[in-house]
Amino acid sequence: MAAWRALHRRFAPTIRPAAFVWSARWSSNAASAAAKNIDLSKFPVSLIRNFSIIAHIDHGKSTLADRLLELTGTIQKGKGQPQYLDKLQVERERGITVKAQTATMFYDLKNEDDGSSEQYLLNLIDTPGHVDFSYEVSRSLAACQGVLLVVDATQGIQAQTVANFYLAFEANLTIIPVINKIDQATADPERVKAQLKTMFDLEPEDALLTSAKTGQGLSEVLPAVIKRIPPPTGRCHLPLRMLILDSYFDEYRGVICNGAVVDGSIKKGDRIASVATGQTYDVLDTGILHPELTSTGMLQTGQVGYLIAGLKATQEARVGDTMHHANVSVEALPGFKPAKHMVFAGIYPADGSDFEALAQAMERLTCNDASVSATKETSAALGIGFRCGFLGLLHMDVFHQRLEQEFGAQVIATAPTVPYIFEFQDGSKLNVQNPALLPSQPAQKIVSAMEPVVVATIITPSEHVGALITLCSDRRGEQLEFSYIDSQRALLKYRLPLREVVVDFYSVLKSITSGYASFDYDDDGYQEADLVKVDVLLNGQAVDALSTIVHQAKSVRTGREIVDKLKKVLDRQMFEVTIQAAVGSKVIARESISALRKNVLAKCYGGDVTRKRKLLDKQKEGKKRMKRFGSVDIPQEAFHDLLKQ
Amino acid sequence: PTAAYVHLPFCKRRCHYCDFPIVALGESSSNAGSTMESYVDLVCQEIAAERSPSRGALQTVFFGGGTPSLIPIPLLQRIIQALEAKHGFSRDAPMEISMEMDPGTFSRDYLTEAIQSCGINRVSLGVQAFDDDLLKLCGRSHCLDDVFQSIEWIKDSLQNWSLDLISSLPHHTLASWRKSLEQAIAASPAHVSIYDLQIEQGTKFGNLYKPGMDPLPSDDDSAEFFKLGSSMLREAGYDHYEISNYARKGFQCRHNLVYWKNQGYYAYGLGSTSFVDGKRVKRSKRMREYAKFVEALAAGSPVLPESLEGSRTEAVLPESVEDRILDTVMLALRLAEGIDLRRFEAEFGSELAGILCDGLAEFVASGNVVFLDASRECTAERAGAVYGRLTDPNGFLVSNEIISRLFCLV
């Protein structure tokens, strides 16, 4: 993973002592910027290149980025990783990039004819690879004119390669294929070249062959960037238009925005305004990310850097927003695309009473991740919590994990759900982000139910095609495409209901194919579906946190699964407990737990009092962690077990 | 306190379910006599060094074990004498001096001596099972013939005796358990204790069996055993006065009632726990450390928990009010008498008493709790309720559930 990406990231500094060290380093760097004498005015648009690296997970994107930074002296080789690394634990554990990052490099390109050289300013805009974060990818690409499409020489094209290629292709960017990891024994660059030709019509001779590990081929990369990727298209004489790419909150300096100056220029002291909100700000500082914040006092057309302008919250700095000089009206840049929440879940404190702590943790985390929505909600079963919207399942997992890791908040997340739209006979519509809020027996007849769908791309070794087709049709998928990308690999495209994907699709796919298939998906709007709400009842009382919306055809299976699971995790109570799953008033699955017959300490004499007390105290603690539902006690662990994926 | 417990830890061998502090002597130990003698020396020393002598005289003494009936009469006499010398024996109320005895460990003469020269007036006979195979399986050192012999001797000399049985032993069925109960009733003791077998870690049973798994009876079967015991013994004229104890009128064990009413008691001997001046002190289960404790006590060194560090004698800090509340609830609800709500209110306040009543009331509808008025008649009205008790057998059977639920509230 790239060290430099972490450089700009500052999460929850108050709980990280390292933040103080950081802050000191930052200010000294900002101060030394003048010492470095970076004069951005030396770089007209023709000497600037903005590019991004896109790749399937683990294909070596981050390592390649590291090497390029070392090659240009932006970071020192072998130095910095551990002490600079302030990266999210979740990113380290999962090997994923969650937030887009930017770095500015300077590179001297030699003219081979006369031996002279010219210095270029290169902005590398890193992107998260995962589909959930594709809106971050598109926003990064909006500031680029070209990309390095990195493909692992041993694995070939994978699902995310395809998705990312099309994002770049549709944005009309120059695409430079880079076949990486050629030092590996199983590397087969020729096969990859052939795939690139078949899949993307990229010419074999255009591919660069590299090994970020050994350094082989790396010297070719930046010259190719300069020669093949066109300079930014903006014009310096036009009024300022700066595209906001990202923002984060720093404890000491407030909101820091990253952005690209598309037209005109910006300098310290300017009065600027947001097109989206109309609010005006004073530019307190601006500069480049080299890779740390390096104040230059100004940014010109085509340059990418940071902006500090006294914004109070990251919510004010909308990604894709256009900043302009306060008294000059401009047309907004295309690119403003609000985060689209595909997956919703309730998040509750594990210990029902600890709502305040959770609320604080949520506030701090959402301050840094504006792509999560959070609204307060109340569940009879789980108490007060939040209904959160996420970009996708991974995003939800990452958020959940960060909540626990960075804030120590123990939480229970309800099963993820997707946003449904129900239309009633009287023409009213209901957006359902929490199944519990859909009436089980609505007064008005439901005339239509819409569910979100995605187009999924799967690339798989051909021997697994049969199993995957079965899986997709079981998940109510509609086949859109089935082709071979070479003699051993097939590409499948399906339209699938999002709900079928968020549950456990990815893990099933991985296990069917022993991990060899890759998968990616893209939002594809809504489709009408025969949806029903499945309620779960304990002794006749519905447990709101467990209700779910599913396709009619799957309701019995789903109901049966929940009922069986519940039976396993519930303790016997002092009376018989009936567990039912129901659609409306119709019971579709039923189980019962017979009453507890005996829980008694046979004897208790003088010497036993303390021991028995301890035993009962322990039972008491167990009871205290239970949620009382009607007359039924549900242990907290049961919700954990029930709701974990 | 007016009650004293004396632990006599010697046994011929360790029973397979037992995790008590005992000293196994082996079947024919040559120096058993001197081992027991030096132990009794220690106990007498401990009694003599007692720091909080009784303000009134003792009313009950209980010799528990181990197998107290292995202790030679002269040693037993010494302990009795030491107790009387230290605390005095009550003259107002008749003394109750109980002793646990195991079949096969004593003769008719021993029993006579114990009664006549030591003042033992109550015997608790560890029968455990009416089945030779089961006795063997449990590692008991006696057989069924010993049981009948002992019963005969005891009945010849005492009316106040208890027959102790264990239920839910391996291979117990409802039929075999019914037979045991019939035999117990036929022996016509004044008192019956029935202990539901607990599988303790580190015991032979603990290694062999899992609770509720074959050959142990299931929880549901155990519940049936409990119900059968309760109904058969009540039919036979016994009062089910505590979860695991039954007595004919006038023969409740006064010593044990002290525990359940959360009153203070002295305790002497290895591994025993005393409850004096609101402090529970648990003595070490290891002989050497217990000896050190007695030594320190006799030497007059301040017997504070700190000074006992390393001796594994746990000195428990004075109980907090919360401890007292929880102990009171836990112990009182074991009794058929139940919890005295007016006394509870007087001691802990009306708010807490209200919470307790509400908590108990939750279990009334299911028939696990009843409220009683001053004349011990059931009452549906909370206002007139003087006692709250668990019902027999259903409430008793789930007593842990109810008590731990109440713990959450108070």
Side-chain angles (χ1 to χ4, degrees), chain A residues 191-237:
Chain A
R191 182 174 147 234
V192 180
K193 281 184 192 171
Q195 288 179 349
L196 287 167
K197 175 71 184 162
T198 330
M199 300 280 297
F200 308 138
D201 203 25
L202 292 173
E203 296 305 324
E205 59 269 26
D206 287 345
L208 304 177
L209 301 184
T210 63
S211 164
K213 199 170 146 200
T214 65
Q216 198 183 342
L218 287 183
S219 58
E220 309 287 320
V221 177
L222 291 178
V225 165
I226 292 168
K227 286 174 190 159
R228 297 194 210 168
I229 297 175
T233 52
R235 280 155 295 174
C236 42
H237 61 273

Side-chain angles (χ1 to χ4, degrees), chain A residues 313-457:
Chain A
T314 50
Q315 281 78 357
E316 288 176 45
R318 299 197 197 168
V319 165
D321 191 4
T322 304
M323 290 290 186
H324 59 97
H325 282 127
N327 47 6
V328 187
S329 65
V330 298
E331 198 180 324
L333 289 160
F336 181 73
K337 190 175 149 197
K340 186 164 186 180
H341 297 123
M342 310 275 272
V343 178
F344 290 84
I347 291 190
Y348 292 84
D351 173 0
S353 59
D354 214 11
F355 176 74
E356 281 312 311
L358 175 67
Q360 269 178 23
M362 290 286 290
E363 195 185 323
R364 283 153 80 178
L365 207 49
T366 50
C367 199
N368 257 317
D369 187 353
S371 56
V372 175
S373 71
T375 47
K376 216 156 133 179
E377 73 171 11
T378 307
S379 151
L382 298 172
I384 309 176
F386 291 95
R387 174 72 22 183
C388 295
F390 304 98
L391 303 171
L393 204 59
L394 178 77
H395 186 214
M396 180 181 87
D397 274 3
V398 164
F399 186 82
H400 188 164
Q401 202 175 337
R402 286 182 63 190
L403 206 54
E404 298 207 326
Q405 284 173 351
E406 296 175 36
F407 298 103
Q410 285 294 311
V411 301
I412 292 182
T414 65
T417 182
V418 299
Y420 296 104
I421 301 168
F422 288 87
E423 192 178 336
F424 297 93
Q425 202 157 31
D426 63 358
S428 63
K429 282 188 181 182
L430 183 64
N431 280 296
V432 178
Q433 296 166 359
N434 176 358
L437 298 181
L438 179 69
S440 301
Q441 294 169 51
Q444 285 277 338
K445 208 178 145 213
I446 290 171
V447 290
S448 94
M450 307 286 285
E451 64 175 344
V453 285
V454 295
V455 170
T457 304

Side-chain angles (χ1 to χ4, degrees), chain A residues 572-575 594-617 619-621 623-624 628 633, chain B residues 19 195-196 200 220 222-224 227 243-245 256 259-260 265 280 323 326-327 330 334 362-363 368 396-401 404-405 407-408:
Chain A
R572 290 169 88 179
Q573 317 263 325
M574 290 188 27
F575 37 81
S594 59
L596 171 80
R597 297 300 306 280
K598 172 182 159 251
N599 183 3
V600 56
L601 293 169
K603 55 177 176 171
C604 182
Y605 297 107
D608 309 321
V609 174
T610 312
R611 195 162 137 191
K612 305 295 184 210
R613 254 291 300 285
K614 277 185 188 154
L615 230 141
L616 286 167
D617 281 340
Q619 295 197 9
K620 160 187 148 184
E621 287 315 312
K623 279 215 160 43
K624 275 204 160 166
R628 192 141 246 237
D633 287 326
Chain B
D19 73 338
Y195 307 135
D196 188 62
E200 305 288 355
D220 288 359
S222 293
E224 289 307 316
K227 285 185 181 178
I243 286 180
S244 48
N245 288 281
N256 289 342
Y259 301 143
W260 301 320
Y265 46 90
R280 292 187 195 274
D323 281 330
L326 297 183
D327 286 350
M330 170 179 91
R334 294 188 66 88
E362 280 182 39
F363 298 97
N368 290 313
F396 279 157
L397 265 171
V398 289
S399 58
N400 283 354
E401 280 295 308
S404 55
R405 173 77 191 152
F407 274 18
C408 293

Side-chain angles (χ1 to χ4, degrees), chain B residues 289-339:
Chain B
E289 281 151 9
Y290 168 64
K292 272 197 217 158
F293 163 75
V294 174
E295 202 182 303
L297 197 70
S301 66
V303 189
L304 297 169
E306 301 87 86
S307 67
L308 293 170
E309 209 174 346
S311 73
R312 286 181 190 270
T313 296
E314 262 180 70
V316 180
L317 291 171
E319 290 206 311
S320 63
V321 178
E322 199 200 337
D323 281 330
R324 261 179 34 230
I325 294 165
L326 297 183
D327 286 350
T328 302
V329 170
M330 170 179 91
L331 295 166
L333 288 177
R334 294 188 66 88
L335 291 169
E337 184 185 306
I339 190 156

Side-chain angles (χ1 to χ4, degrees), chain A residues 38-311:
Chain A
I38 294 172
D39 180 6
L40 291 185
S41 65
K42 282 198 324 208
F43 298 96
V45 171
S46 63
L47 295 180
I48 297 175
R49 298 292 183 274
N50 295 331
F51 71 105
S52 180
I53 307 180
I54 53 180
H56 188 74
I57 185 168
D58 283 340
H59 279 197
K61 175 180 65 141
S62 301
T63 323
L64 179 65
D66 268 353
R67 292 299 158 285
L68 296 180
L69 289 166
E70 286 167 10
L71 200 81
T72 54
T74 312
I75 60 172
Q76 276 175 291
K77 194 178 171 138
K79 217 177 154 186
Q81 246 91 331
Q83 66 265 39
Y84 278 9
L85 224 75
D86 193 21
K87 154 171 13 185
L88 300 178
Q89 192 179 343
V90 36
E91 289 184 312
R92 227 172 12 240
E93 285 173 5
R94 295 173 182 244
I96 54 170
T97 306
V98 175
K99 300 276 283 180
Q101 296 297 338
T102 306
T104 299
M105 306 178 277
F106 298 96
Y107 184 74
D108 295 317
L109 182 71
K110 284 209 170 62
N111 185 331
E112 271 144 36
D113 299 334
D114 59 10
S116 67
S117 74
E118 194 157 24
Q119 194 175 46
Y120 283 81
L121 185 156
L122 308 177
N123 289 307
L124 168 51
I125 299 159
D126 191 24
T127 62
H130 192 273
V131 54
D132 280 6
F133 306 106
S134 66
Y135 101 118
E136 295 227 14
V137 179
S138 357
R139 89 162 86 133
S140 305
L141 296 185
C144 295
Q145 286 70 47
V147 294
L148 298 174
L149 178 68
V150 177
V151 184
D152 185 322
T154 68
Q155 292 189 11
I157 288 172
Q158 296 295 329
Q160 280 170 33
T161 322
V162 179
N164 285 327
F165 168 82
Y166 282 107
L167 285 175
F169 185 74
E170 281 154 19
N172 268 321
L173 303 186
T174 302
I175 295 164
I176 304 175
V178 177
I179 300 174
N180 193 28
K181 302 197 188 178
I182 55 165
D183 59 303
Q184 304 260 315
T186 52
D188 189 354
E190 290 312 309
R191 182 174 147 234
V192 180
K193 281 184 192 171
Q195 288 179 349
L196 287 167
K197 175 71 184 162
T198 330
M199 300 280 297
F200 308 138
D201 203 25
L202 292 173
E203 296 305 324
E205 59 269 26
D206 287 345
L208 304 177
L209 301 184
T210 63
S211 164
K213 199 170 146 200
T214 65
Q216 198 183 342
L218 287 183
S219 58
E220 309 287 320
V221 177
L222 291 178
V225 165
I226 292 168
K227 286 174 190 159
R228 297 194 210 168
I229 297 175
T233 52
R235 280 155 295 174
C236 42
H237 61 273
L238 288 183
L240 167 72
R241 288 200 297 173
M242 183 173 185
L243 179 66
I244 299 301
L245 297 172
D246 193 13
S247 67
Y248 58 92
F249 187 81
D250 176 73
E251 185 88 345
Y252 303 97
R253 311 185 69 176
V255 174
I256 298 177
C257 307
N258 291 349
V261 177
V262 176
D263 291 320
S265 66
I266 188 168
K267 64 179 189 304
K268 203 166 154 175
D270 283 357
R271 183 127 188 103
I272 56 164
S274 145
V275 168
T277 66
Q279 260 186 280
T280 59
Y281 307 94
D282 288 322
V283 178
L284 304 173
D285 191 16
T286 184
I288 56 171
L289 301 135
H290 185 54
E292 297 174 31
L293 299 193
T294 305
S295 177
T296 55
M298 53 97 83
L299 288 174
Q300 288 186 318
T301 308
Q303 290 166 353
V304 178
Y306 72 92
L307 170 70
I308 298 174
L311 280 73

